[in-house]
């Protein structure tokens, strides 16, 4: 562990910002906004602003976004994906990631994945509302989807989309269960279990509604396949 | 309730056999063997034997079967479906039920459904191991499947088979989750949730591994569609 | 799969509307409104309006309904069943479906089933608040209920209604658990489990509060029994 | 708490036998045999033998029974209820408890309740296999059942028996879920939830398969109603 | 079942009021208000008003209470127990029920039990905030508590109160888990499990927060012990 | 039990205040505010005010705090930890407890632990936002953390912080899972399970979000190690 | 979907072998042995033997292995990974996958992943028993681990290994929860939840004990990064 | 982290033995035997034998014990606690830990705690079968129990023992839920929840049946209080 520099972060009291992260892990930090106060977010974004780095905030609500943007106007807010982005260094997008959803309700999670993948340097193509209840819609898009290096399959309710796709390709699939549904969907648990139990190998899974990690992981793989990381 | 005859059963102490059932509900009784002793089963089958009625025993293990067959040799045992049948009156099979499975491990449950549906008077066709991990296998059989009046879809693990079929037809689908799988399949719970949350309407669900109720319910519908009940 | 036309839908960006569905599956499309924005719903209903087809929207709240009705005034909203309907081609109702509830709290789900079954072409009769806590109420109606081709039993809390009914008839029963109850009802889970574990065969189950699928599935069966599909 | 004598038990090392219990709580001690070694059971039964008291052992398997009976031959074993009883003082039975089961598989739990209630001084009548799948069997017995002071309803699977009974009487009902069933019965959980969520008030519930506590509690109530405790 | 009069209820469309219930089950009807509209409640209370009977409404919120009281001013509302009562025939209270709570947060459920028990004709004494975290508070009251015919133990969080009480008496105990707590209390599930698994026999359990059924069941037992039912 | 004085509390009707507690258990009482009305809280704090004792209120919201402070102005409210404190006797702080959090979202729970530990007489040092996603932040602080007598590790989501710390020291670790997270964090259940299953021995666990008990338990241990209790 | 050949499998009755799979998905078929009879396995392996293809069998027990090997002696059995392999065409291994385990109990699952990855054409390095209870063991190996294209982290109990690794690299991590543990490990559920909730992005998850899918997915990614698929 | 020596373990292939642990964490290593083969255990114990260190093996079954003892005869096996101990350096026992159980079934877990605490250097006193069903047994022992520095409370079923004890002392309590019970005890889950939700502060909890961690943690605290670590 000779390259672990234990001093390699910025201590701002309530938080230890991982400023050495780009060096250590290759990518800028992302900030999980959900449980942070507006003042904490402003302080965090200002710190990154001052350091000249890019930063991505996820799960930010409108009120948080307004507060941050009022103080640091370069920050962009995407209301569908609920992301805050501060881009101070240009991002070059590589390769291709296909992001598919089962229904329209899954779009916010898919957009979080898309914003994340693009922020970290991947090209993204979107295929929305192609779930298995009308499977011909998926088949109509399949040839295009198979041009990607990685596929992200976002689905709630029964969550079978990813398994059907994985069964037709040799491309790595990352499945994201969403909390869309009611009754026994148990806020995404049903979709999660479907994905974990899929008979179609080559698919791995992330947490319910975790578009961010899906986009991040897909980006890691896509960039390595594209030969840039 | 003028036609409910409260004396309409045979009391043999530990059990009250529903001998009036064929009159009241239209079909002979089935016996759930799992929690019964060998002596109880022998006494039950003998009672039906003596009454000249048909009877179906489900979830009978080999040992129970041997004991019953030793006493009442007309009883047939099917080791895959774990059913005991005593046929004393001929059964005329009507219409058609398609029974599909996702994998080979689902076959015992499918066979229980098949034996049940045939016992109660339905014709059955079987389509095994056509799960969505290799979806072309399902498509190859789909035209044949659509000739049935009712479809039974039996699947464990992710349990997506029924939803894909329901999305392609206007035939009633009865989905049976099986306990096949491991880890987060939670003994069929994952498949059950998938089926309950399916976006493809027209599909209803029965208990995990309950091939009997699937066969029974499909038979009810099939016979009514065929105009015989 | 020679009759699967993969181009058979209308792509409006965020959604792929299944306009070929009536041909393929025999019935018009239904729209799950819960997770859609008002703008998305308006665009979807306008597309169907323009195509001259009927369409049914489920789980629409008052606000969504107002927005859609303001733009397309032919759309009807039913506040109890939370359904939006646009009827442009006359619907002929066939056969008969009996819809029963355990209590008054189950009525909204029962109404969703009723609206759906009627939209797709079934005649419906309603028997509300006849749960087993006062079982004489059920018995008083049983003879009438048995005139239907299919019975829908809607119940929350202990959810035993369907099993009692199924035990007295040879008519297919579709049970709908509702989220009515508190404590260990676990938002409908208790009723769902009761229904799945019923000893009375001939009953199948749908997702908690899923009146839509109950009505849809009952309609499929009722129309086939009536000889019209 | 002036009547709590903290020295009021017999310390035999691994166990503290509640020899003062009959005085304090009015009834002799029962021994839960399931997790005890054969040597521990022998020592416990011998202690009670020597003290001249009655004692009841529950959940004893055949092997444990053999070991105890070999040493203390007055001990009786009931293989169905899995109870060991040592009766050294005569028991006078009072009042009446009705014990009902849904199916034959529930009989062992019902028998444990019966043995317990009789051990503690209640008269018992048994009504087995009268579950709601053939509800006319229950109705045929209802007038007799209503002669009891307390009703115990034992049922697995959907577990609806107790609620139907409670809905027809003003007699206290104690419901016992059993682990009979498969799939989503989840070893009695389904029946337990049904019972807890029953709309028919006047019914209370005990642990899954806990015939002992049902018999004990019913006895407490029955004897007080009979005016003997 | 010669005394089941299947016409013995009043059909007001959305509800079938059990007006024959007092005859059949011995006690007036109670109305579960939670899922009913204000108009439905008014109609129900007016029907009972007109029939001259007493009626109890449970789980009524302030808004519902206001609406009913505006129309039928004799109806009383208790904001803590959330009960509506219309008393048109005098109630004579018999015997004694002790109602205990673990903490102050459990009081609303205890009050629902108290109002119910009194409505149906039992005398009630209350012992609040005597949970086991300071067990001397319980001991100080134990002698008084033991004067009752039935004990109701209401507790959330760990829910151990009932078991400790049951271990010290031969009086029937009815335990009510409450949803008080946080984290792993899982809205009363922890307390429920504690109660179901109690080693102290003689205690039975009702649904989480179900003060009504506890009061109702305790009243049944208390009145029979008092020799009045 | 010769030193249990069963009269040793103050009965104020809805509550029995444990005024003898400091004598019996060594520490002043804490009041769980969450389920109490404002009037109840005022009455409780006034009782302690009048008795001259210190008292700590936990899980108090702003509205409750305002109401209490308006009546008893010496009471202090900490909005982050949601605690109310009334200090009438000076508190001497002993030893040292290290309180660590995985992220910034865990701070409110950590603060509740800190306020509690200090209220009962421990010195506290805080190490926030040192979770394992950037494990070098933890290592940078580890030498300081190891100076404490007890370590409290507060973490949501995956909750691995405590196990990593426990694996590097011989200091007792108390782990507090928090409800921070989403999807399969199941409101802290994921973190709780991680902590309970930790391979690093020497760590014990408290309820989700229970900073109070963590602080209380750590204080007990710290003071005994410091030789003051 | 012009390249989906629906005839592209071999129908052997109980199974439809996906012989066209190598063409369609790029890799040979794997056979899930767990629920298959010995006769079925023999027939399947013989079919592949005759076709000259490679085939991998997973979750085969010793008895199944003996039966298959007796008939087709070229089949190799690995008792630790429980895999059957028939290699008829040489496999060229590319790139590098690092497979890590938390403890020794996780080795069988890790071995299944290793055998799978090698069967499909990846080079594998193993790092066993480096879990976080003694985190210095992990750090000692970290530089080596980081040479891989993909990391597989296999862990039971608390399952924190993958998150710690992911926090230190920019290499894609696939986490495999195992059923190792007891009590609240709930057969791998605890480890699964830890992995899904990890704060360290870049890690995705497979089903409990699913070494096969981990190896398969890692191979897909590794080979694409290596530029060979 | 200057004192983390990453080379500080012995790599024996399948395992990395933490031979530097006594230095780093202050105590010898313990070996979790459950998932290890006999050969692995022999190799591990021999390594420790050769190093002259003490070692403790937990959850070893009889067969494993026989195999290890045959090779290294100094190893002792305790069949109740299922522990293997190799003592090569004398252990000096300090302070005092009280270990209590609710029933006799909890003794094996209590014994694991006792063996562990003694192995690591604590004096232990045992108080078995003093659960709350007969609470006078606990009170009779309470004065003795309070002489300890730490209390371990081991209980299954309802698991209330620890909370009652914690409510009467200011001594740290470590609660161990056991899997003793049936039905809704859910293999210790009920007892675990009771303990986590206890209103009696000062108690912390370990995994179900984890006597080892209870003994280890109690020892850490006891020795620090005794001033020896």
């Amino acid at each position: 562990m000779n390259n672990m520099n234990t001093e390699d972060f910025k201590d701002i009291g309530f938080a230890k910002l991982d400023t050495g992260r780009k060096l250590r892990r290759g990518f800028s930090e992302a900030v999980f906004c959900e449980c942070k106060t507006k003042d904490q977010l402003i302080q965090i974004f200002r710190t990154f602003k001052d350091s000249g780095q890019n930063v991505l905030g996820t799960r930010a609500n409108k009120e948080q976004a307004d507060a941050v943007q009022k103080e640091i106007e370069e920050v962009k807010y995407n209301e569908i994906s609920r992301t805050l982005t501060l881009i101070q260094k240009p991002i070059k997008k590589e390769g291709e990631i296909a992001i598919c959803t089962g229904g329209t309700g899954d779009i916010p999670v898919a957009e979080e994945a898309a914003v994340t993948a693009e922020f970290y340097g991947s090209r993204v193509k979107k295929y929305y509302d192609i779930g298995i209840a009308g499977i011909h819609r998926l088949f109509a898009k399949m040839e295009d989807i198979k041009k990607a290096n990685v596929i992200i399959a976002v689905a709630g309710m029964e969550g079978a989309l990813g398994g059907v796709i994985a069964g037709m390709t040799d491309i790595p699939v990352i499945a994201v269960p969403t909390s869309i549904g009611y009754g026994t969907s148990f806020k995404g648990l049903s979709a999660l279990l479907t994905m974990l139990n899929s008979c179609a190998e080559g698919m791995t899974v992330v947490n319910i509604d975790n578009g961010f990690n899906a986009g991040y992981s897909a980006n890691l793989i896509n960039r390595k396949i594209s030969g840039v990381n």
Side-chain angles (χ1 to χ4, degrees), chain A:
Chain A
M1 292 306 295
N2 44 2
N3 76 339
M4 179 186 283
N5 184 345
T6 60
E7 299 308 320
D8 201 10
F9 56 87
K10 189 164 174 62
D11 193 333
I12 58 170
F14 64 89
K16 316 272 176 289
L17 301 181
D18 195 351
T19 46
R21 189 190 141 96
K22 179 140 177 98
L23 193 70
R24 192 179 78 257
R25 296 201 51 195
F27 297 101
S28 307
E29 176 131 12
V31 176
F32 179 66
C33 301
E34 202 165 85
C35 310
K36 296 199 174 64
T37 65
K38 279 176 281 187
D39 283 350
Q40 289 175 334
L41 286 179
I42 289 167
Q43 205 175 333
I44 290 171
F45 273 86
R46 195 183 302 285
T47 305
F48 280 103
K49 173 84 194 303
D50 295 348
S51 76
Q53 293 188 34
N54 295 343
V55 64
L56 168 68
T58 62
R59 295 195 154 234
N61 60 33
K62 187 74 174 67
E63 211 182 337
Q64 292 173 316
D66 287 346
V68 171
Q69 288 180 310
K70 197 176 159 193
E71 296 293 316
I72 306 141
E73 58 186 18
E74 296 87 339
V75 173
K76 296 265 187 319
Y77 183 58
N78 179 328
E79 201 161 355
I80 295 174
S81 60
R82 295 193 297 154
T83 46
L84 287 167
T85 41
L86 173 65
I87 312 282
Q88 304 188 93
K89 291 180 180 168
I91 296 165
K92 185 158 182 300
K93 291 175 195 154
E94 310 282 348
E96 183 173 321
I97 296 170
I99 303 184
C100 311
T101 76
T104 53
D106 305 316
I107 291 177
V109 175
E111 285 291 309
E112 189 187 54
V115 167
T116 302
E118 288 175 338
F119 176 83
Y120 286 115
S122 286
R123 232 174 269 118
V124 165
K125 287 207 179 158
K126 302 172 187 176
Y127 306 86
Y128 290 168
D129 195 29
I130 56 171
I132 69 164
I135 207 165
H136 59 302
R137 299 175 304 182
L138 167 60
F139 292 159
K141 302 292 181 187
M142 200 64 219
E143 286 312 295
D144 277 348
I145 292 169
K146 287 164 92 163
K147 290 173 186 152
N149 286 326
V150 190
I151 299 167
I152 295 175
V154 184
M157 293 178 170
E158 71 189 310
L161 178 66
V164 172
I165 292 176
M168 294 191 289
T169 75
D170 68 336
I171 302 167
V173 177
I174 295 173
V176 193
T178 72
S179 52
I180 295 300
Y182 57 95
T184 55
S185 85
F186 296 130
K187 305 195 175 164
L189 182 59
S190 169
L192 171 68
L193 294 180
T194 306
M195 291 162 175
L196 287 171
N197 286 287
S198 177
C199 314
E201 58 275 28
M203 179 166 75
T204 58
V205 184
V206 297
N207 195 5
I208 296 165
D209 288 338
N210 198 343
F212 167 67
N213 190 23
Y216 189 98
S217 298
N219 172 68
L220 276 191
I221 298 168
N222 173 49
R223 285 179 66 87
K224 284 192 188 291
I225 293 174
S226 303
V228 286
N229 269 90

